[in-house]
Amino acid sequence: MKFALFLLYVAIEIAAFVGLCYAIGFGWTLLLGLATVIGGFWLLRRQGAKVFRNLREAGEKAAAGQPAGPAESAAPVADTALLAAATIAMIIPGLVSTAVGILLLLKPIRLLLRPVVIALGTRKVVGTMETYARYGRGMAGVTVVEGQVVDTTGYGPTAYDATRPQLRKPQTDR
């Protein structure tokens, strides 16, 4: 399945390149490809700085104990995920993937895709939690002995501790 998707991607990229060469010429197609890469990375730098600033501000608000709604706290994380996807799309060679990467950098597109990314992320987190819960339920057959914790600091034989002076046993000559 993954190989079929890869072949589909290659076919789309080749078709786009050949179609553009036929429409505007080979030289202009190469120039357009170079321009989209340069423009895309310029846009990535601008939008990336904004996204990371928003992420930092959200983290500072959370550390200060300021309440935020679920959508407000998830938005910077979703934007960061979309920024990562845009970066990957722009690194992959090809006109179509570069165009997709540039589209993902545009704020209106990110606003449209943000709920989808939040939903997918939530589904992944819930799935992971359910997996770990299954492991926890599988251990339900373990016997638990109720008791209380007793502080034994300073009592009984102690292992070697580099922070405490160690007593040496007197050596006997035999």
Side-chain angles (χ1 to χ4, degrees):
M1 179 67 181
K2 290 181 183 180
F3 187 68
L5 288 175
F6 175 73
L7 289 178
L8 178 66
Y9 158 74
V10 170
I12 290 172
E13 287 289 354
I14 290 173
F17 187 80
V18 169
L20 206 53
C21 284
Y22 181 74
I24 63 174
F26 180 75
W28 288 109
T29 301
L30 288 180
L31 188 62
L32 180 66
L34 183 64
T36 56
V37 168
I38 291 171
F41 279 109
W42 175 78
L43 189 60
L44 175 65
R45 183 174 178 198
R46 280 192 62 210
Q47 293 299 318
K50 288 179 184 178
V51 166
F52 285 125
R53 184 174 51 246
N54 292 342
L55 187 63
R56 184 176 56 246
E57 288 172 1
E60 289 170 356
K61 284 181 182 179
Q66 296 175 350
E72 184 181 326
S73 61
V77 177
D79 281 348
T80 305
L82 289 169
L83 181 70
T87 304
I88 291 169
M90 289 178 55
I91 289 173
I92 295 172
L95 293 170
V96 176
S97 62
T98 302
V100 168
I102 290 173
L103 285 175
L104 288 175
L105 290 175
L106 300 176
K107 188 165 185 150
I109 303 296
R110 284 199 324 261
L111 287 174
L112 286 173
L113 292 178
R114 193 182 286 167
V116 175
V117 171
I118 291 171
L120 289 174
T122 303
R123 182 181 300 164
K124 181 72 174 170
V125 168
V126 168
T128 302
M129 291 174 67
E130 287 176 352
T131 300
Y132 286 122
R134 266 187 253 122
Y135 288 125
R137 284 192 296 267
M139 295 179 61
V142 174
T143 304
V144 176
V145 177
E146 301 260 339
Q148 65 187 136
V149 176
V150 178
D151 184 15
T152 61
T153 308
Y155 300 104
T158 58
Y160 175 76
D161 186 359
T163 61
R164 294 183 173 179
Q166 299 294 314
L167 299 175
R168 293 187 178 179
K169 292 183 180 179
Q171 294 185 358
T172 55
D173 292 331
R174 287 190 187 182

